[in-house]
Amino acid sequence: MRCVLLITHDLPLSSDHQELDDGPESDELIQLITQDGERTQGSVLQRWIQDVTDEQLGSLYEDMVVIRRIDTEATYLQRQGELALWPPLLGQEAAQIGSARSLRKDDFVFSSYRESGVAYCRGVDFEDLTRVWRGNSHSSWDPFVLNMATPQVIIGAQTLHATGYAMGIKNDGADSVAVTYFGDGATSQGDVNEAMVFASSFQLPVIFFCQNNHWAISEPVSLQASVPLSRRAPGFGIPSLRVDGNDVLAVMAATRSALDRARSGGGPTFIEAVTYRMGPHTTADDPHRYRNVDELAGWAAKDPIARLEKYLKSSGRFIDGFQRLVADKSDAVAHAMREACKNMLDPEPITVFDNVFSEPHAALTRQKEAYAHYLSTFAAAE
Amino acid sequence: MQSMTFGRAINAGLHKAMENDPKVILMGEDVGKLGGVFRITDGLQDHFGANRVVDTPLAEAGIMGSAVGLAYRGYRPVVEIQFDGFIYPAFDQIVCQVAKLHYRTQGRVHMPITIRVPFGGGIGSPEHHSESPEAYFTHTSGLRVVSPSTPQDAYVLIQQAIASNDPVLYFEPKRRYHVKREVDEAMELGALPMGSGRVVVPGSDVTLVTYGPLVPTAMDAAEAGAEDGISIEVIDLRSLAPIDYSLIEASVRKTGRLVVSHEASQTGGLGAEIATTITERCFEYLEAAPVRVTGFDIPYPPSKLESHHLPDLDRILDGVDLALGRRATLLGQKG
């Protein structure tokens, strides 16, 4: 059966479902580097990464290793009581690095809470990677410095923010793109479906980047969808791509293709990056309760970092010295993040009242003044 | 000065705000070609184009969430929710995103979104078309909530709401859309700031606080009271969040009695909030317990029964009587 449409940027946009003779089978994943680290040929996406050199692949490898190290260190910090919670991305490095490294500075990201790898690529300070999870604030960075909105906790809500932002881009006549990240569970949410309606109706420059990591806390993707998630978008008139999310090159190619479509007025694209969350949903849950070890082992064999490592070794360009440099950088980054986290000062109590409103608010001002006075009585007693 | 209906005054205010700031965008279901189901946005798409007056898909969360994204991009969206009872699908985006993004981002992201909600009953509509959901939003930090009661106020408040860097819910008393009054289009927005209430009828025996659709009814009550020798001071809140308590306090210190009236159900409503706050702040001035005259704690009833649910002149006067201790009443449930 050939029912999933693969539309790349140079195909006419149409709500009609076309079938491409050279397109993938319905459930086939687009893959450019195999599990064994071999480059494939013949994919329609191949041309989007023709310019990527092995040195650049080495750079992507470095990013993935560093973000995995950050992720591991943050998990340790949680176990040691320095963080209240952490949402690991273990296993999803290729999906995040491959997509985020394809973006321009002036593209704008609306993500969920698991996209630490994307935030890293946008240039977030190490301290800010842990600030929220330590409980010091509800968000870390300035969205307009990173061009990345504060991560969203409500599932799928950010997809609409991307849609609205893309409306603004289109109104402004700009060629930047709004990119929204969400998971497989989010595709069941009304907001995500409404976002696809808006994106399609107004032909907005937005990319729906779905990391299908197979589990929404304890609920398998089969509970969210009985067919591949990529099949959903064409029903909204949005072309979709289903890529191997553990293949950094395939993710990059798909993202570049979608970005090009969006920049040239072709409208939205839905990318399903099929990957796997190797760890828990957050440090608060126990995946052993809801999934079996065989499944985990199967996905471990598809590890995105190991795969690229195999390729780089086989290409002859991967040398031990480089691997050592990457490991050293990872250690240095993890150390910097740990130090920043542990040295973070608790916020001042009275700041709980700050920034509720942009402008003075009589009721809140009264409460703030009363509480400041209350606090001062403790200070006076000391 | 020109005479215009309440609805036309909102339209004129929207027009002026859009003219003054190209970043103001209107969006909602049917707001473009049709001009809205109440024609409040009539003619604006013709004048400003389909990019600034956007007919959206039928999806309230979609409209509200897109407005959030537009605000991120530097726009000032004005969203129309077609009817009060249709706001609930957008509730999550309003209370979790619109209300909290400024706080969540330590003030880096502003949400200058105006949410227009035709609200309240009295027009014989079917279910979901006559509700008063304002208390859900006054309960949520980060939102401002206003409700005009006259064409002049409608004209000014809509511009103030759009100019505000905070999100504002603008509750339009739909049964007053066709009321016609003089509107001074040259009125300075700073003359009566958005958070202020105003005394619409001065009086000395009892303070009657209300807003939006019931302000004219309260003024009728003041007139009827005067014929009966009772001097009722009527306060139009204008702003439901924040509430101009200094205005109410000053009045209650003078009258010693408080009646609050609204169409919304009683439990957890604004009447409870105002009665409690005034009791806290002016207990020693009160001659009697504050009285609430409100809709009942029922789902909005079928239109043939809505006149029983909505506070009217007699029920408000009944409440005034109770506050004055004049005689047995419905509200007092005395024989």
Side-chain angles (χ1 to χ4, degrees):
Chain A
M1 189 171 75
R2 287 176 172 274
C3 59
V4 166
L5 172 64
L6 172 73
I7 304 178
T8 51
H9 82 295
D10 52 351
L11 293 168
L13 187 77
S14 165
S15 56
D16 296 330
H17 288 193
Q18 302 174 27
E19 292 181 9
L20 292 178
D21 289 341
D22 59 348
E25 294 293 337
S26 62
D27 297 347
E28 183 188 338
L29 295 180
I30 300 171
Q31 197 177 61
L32 300 180
I33 299 178
T34 70
Q35 194 171 320
D36 298 323
E38 292 166 2
R39 291 285 293 266
T40 65
Q41 298 298 325
S43 166
V44 290
L45 287 183
Q46 197 75 44
R47 63 198 180 89
W48 291 103
I49 42 84
Q50 295 288 21
D51 61 311
V52 178
T53 63
D54 282 354
E55 282 73 17
Q56 286 167 324
L57 278 173
S59 171
L60 293 172
Y61 172 83
E62 175 189 312
D63 284 343
M64 291 201 289
V65 172
V66 170
I67 192 59
R68 179 169 289 189
R69 183 74 177 82
I70 286 173
D71 192 59
T72 307
E73 192 72 13
T75 304
Y76 292 158
L77 284 168
Q78 193 280 331
R79 298 302 186 215
Q80 291 160 5
E82 296 293 340
L83 302 180
L85 195 74
W86 178 257
L89 59 78
L90 183 66
Q92 299 179 220
E93 295 86 354
Q96 296 194 16
I97 300 299
S99 56
R101 280 292 179 223
S102 306
L103 307 182
R104 262 184 2 206
K105 167 69 182 154
D106 64 335
D107 296 326
F108 206 100
V109 174
F110 293 87
S111 76
S112 85
Y113 44 80
R114 201 184 299 286
E115 278 73 44
S116 313
V118 178
Y120 171 74
C121 292
R122 302 304 275 174
V124 68
D125 289 340
F126 301 134
E127 180 178 355
D128 287 340
L129 282 169
T130 59
R131 184 183 302 280
V132 170
W133 307 105
R134 194 172 168 86
N136 278 44
S137 66
H138 286 322
S139 72
S140 298
W141 54 80
D142 184 333
F144 304 112
V145 170
L146 261 55
N147 276 348
M148 178 167 178
T150 178
Q152 183 57 242
V153 172
I154 300 288
I155 302 299
Q158 74 276 16
T159 57
L160 278 165
H161 305 167
T163 302
Y165 192 91
M167 287 173 81
I169 291 174
K170 193 169 180 180
N171 264 6
D172 295 343
D175 74 341
S176 49
V177 179
V179 184
T180 180
Y181 289 84
F182 53 97
D184 43 301
T187 61
S188 298
Q189 288 279 1
D191 279 6
V192 177
N193 289 272
E194 292 187 28
M196 286 198 277
V197 172
F198 273 64
S200 175
S201 297
F202 296 120
Q203 282 298 289
L204 300 174
V206 59
I207 296 175
F208 294 93
F209 194 93
C210 175
Q211 289 175 82
N212 175 2
N213 71 10
H214 283 77
W215 290 91
I217 308 189
S218 69
E219 298 188 342
V221 65
S222 58
L223 194 63
Q224 318 293 339
S226 55
V227 297
L229 297 169
S230 58
R231 285 199 214 169
R232 243 173 231 191
F236 292 96
I238 299 175
S240 64
L241 294 160
R242 189 164 193 258
V243 300
D244 184 334
N246 286 10
D247 174 354
V248 71
L249 209 52
V251 170
M252 179 171 264
T255 310
R256 284 178 165 191
S257 156
L259 285 165
D260 190 75
R261 261 176 52 76
R263 292 196 208 292
S264 54
T269 303
F270 183 103
I271 297 171
E272 179 189 2
V274 181
T275 181
Y276 193 76
R277 168 181 30 97
M278 302 287 286
H281 163 69
T282 69
T283 44
D285 71 314
D286 176 9
H288 294 97
R289 281 173 174 253
Y290 54 80
R291 65 186 188 191
N292 68 49
V293 291
D294 291 344
E295 180 180 289
L296 189 65
W299 279 95
K302 299 175 186 172
D303 187 286
I305 295 179
R307 176 185 313 199
L308 191 55
E309 192 173 305
K310 282 179 199 164
Y311 168 73
L312 288 170
K313 277 181 176 162
S314 68
S315 74
R317 293 181 183 269
F318 194 77
I319 52 172
D320 292 343
F322 175 64
Q323 204 164 13
R324 185 68 256 157
L325 285 174
V326 170
D328 288 348
K329 178 175 178 180
S330 301
D331 286 342
V333 167
H335 178 74
M337 184 181 74
R338 168 176 286 271
E339 287 304 300
C341 173
K342 292 182 74 169
N343 292 328
M344 212 180 288
L345 298 175
D346 286 352
E348 290 296 318
I350 204 67
T351 61
V352 294
F353 295 100
D354 291 351
N355 299 308
V356 178
F357 294 94
S358 296
E359 296 157 15
H361 186 282
L364 198 63
T365 301
R366 189 181 172 99
Q367 282 186 13
K368 181 178 180 177
E369 286 170 358
Y371 194 62
H373 174 70
Y374 176 76
L375 288 175
S376 72
T377 61
F378 288 92
E382 281 173 5
Chain B
M1 297 266 269
Q2 113 167 249
S3 180
M4 60 176 85
T5 63
F6 199 110
R8 191 70 205 165
I10 301 173
N11 180 284
L14 288 168
H15 190 110
K16 192 166 180 185
M18 293 184 78
E19 227 166 36
N20 289 345
D21 186 350
K23 290 294 185 185
V24 176
I25 283 190
L26 268 50
M27 55 195 295
E29 297 154 17
D30 305 307
V31 298
K33 283 186 177 165
L34 181 68
V37 290
F38 291 106
R39 310 292 183 270
I40 303 302
T41 53
D42 190 30
L44 294 176
Q45 191 181 64
D46 280 346
H47 191 84
F48 293 102
N51 284 342
R52 295 196 59 199
V53 183
V54 184
D55 271 323
T56 66
L58 202 162
E60 283 78 10
I63 298 166
M64 201 62 65
S66 295
V68 170
L70 278 162
Y72 256 107
R73 183 77 190 175
Y75 284 85
R76 306 182 86 82
V78 181
V79 166
E80 177 176 306
I81 295 296
Q82 204 158 70
F83 283 94
D84 34 60
F86 301 172
I87 201 168
Y88 305 115
F91 191 75
D92 167 65
Q93 286 285 347
I94 297 173
V95 303
C96 292
Q97 310 297 332
V98 174
K100 293 186 181 139
L101 266 160
H102 190 257
Y103 190 71
R104 187 180 299 149
T105 60
Q106 292 90 57
R108 289 157 174 147
V109 178
H110 293 277
M111 285 287 123
I113 298 174
T114 301
I115 304 167
R116 292 184 38 240
V117 192
F119 88 120
I123 63 167
S125 281
E127 203 180 2
H128 311 301
H129 289 69
S130 303
E131 301 182 8
S132 300
E134 57 270 23
Y136 294 113
F137 303 102
T138 60
H139 189 65
T140 299
S141 307
L143 299 174
R144 293 177 188 271
V145 183
V146 300
S147 184
S149 68
T150 66
Q152 179 71 61
D153 223 16
Y155 177 75
V156 169
L157 265 178
I158 190 68
Q159 293 180 70
Q160 290 173 331
I162 294 169
S164 172
N165 273 332
D166 287 318
V168 182
L169 283 115
Y170 179 89
F171 279 94
E172 302 170 6
K174 67 171 93 82
R175 68 164 137 150
R176 307 292 181 189
Y177 274 147
H178 300 294
V179 170
K180 205 168 186 179
R181 294 280 186 280
E182 293 279 298
V183 174
D184 176 8
E185 293 182 75
M187 183 175 170
E188 294 287 332
L189 295 188
L192 189 58
M194 191 167 66
S196 313
R198 65 194 170 115
V199 174
V200 289
V201 179
S204 55
D205 292 335
V206 57
T207 299
L208 173 57
V209 174
T210 189
Y211 53 90
L214 288 184
V215 171
T217 314
M219 291 167 75
D220 291 346
E223 196 175 322
E227 288 170 12
D228 210 13
I230 305 165
S231 175
I232 301 174
E233 178 148 298
V234 178
I235 289 179
D236 174 5
L237 283 179
R238 299 181 71 245
S239 174
L240 315 185
I243 285 171
D244 186 353
Y245 278 114
S246 58
L247 187 74
I248 307 173
E249 278 181 62
S251 179
V252 169
R253 283 178 186 173
K254 182 174 63 179
T255 65
R257 300 172 196 278
L258 173 68
V259 176
V260 187
S261 188
H262 52 65
E263 289 188 13
S265 300
Q266 187 168 97
T267 300
L270 280 184
E273 186 59 40
I274 293 167
T276 306
T277 303
I278 291 302
T279 303
E280 285 173 347
R281 296 193 193 178
C282 313
F283 183 68
E284 66 274 30
Y285 292 89
L286 284 168
E287 303 286 344
V291 173
R292 288 173 287 171
V293 183
T294 70
F296 300 121
D297 286 350
I298 56 172
Y300 199 85
S303 59
K304 292 292 186 192
L305 294 172
E306 67 180 341
S307 63
H308 295 281
H309 172 68
L310 297 171
D312 61 6
L313 178 60
D314 288 336
R315 276 177 61 198
I316 289 175
L317 286 171
D318 200 50
V320 169
D321 281 343
L322 181 66
L324 288 163
R326 277 166 58 106
R327 59 172 180 261
T329 68
L330 164 73
L331 289 165
Q333 294 179 337
K334 295 171 187 168

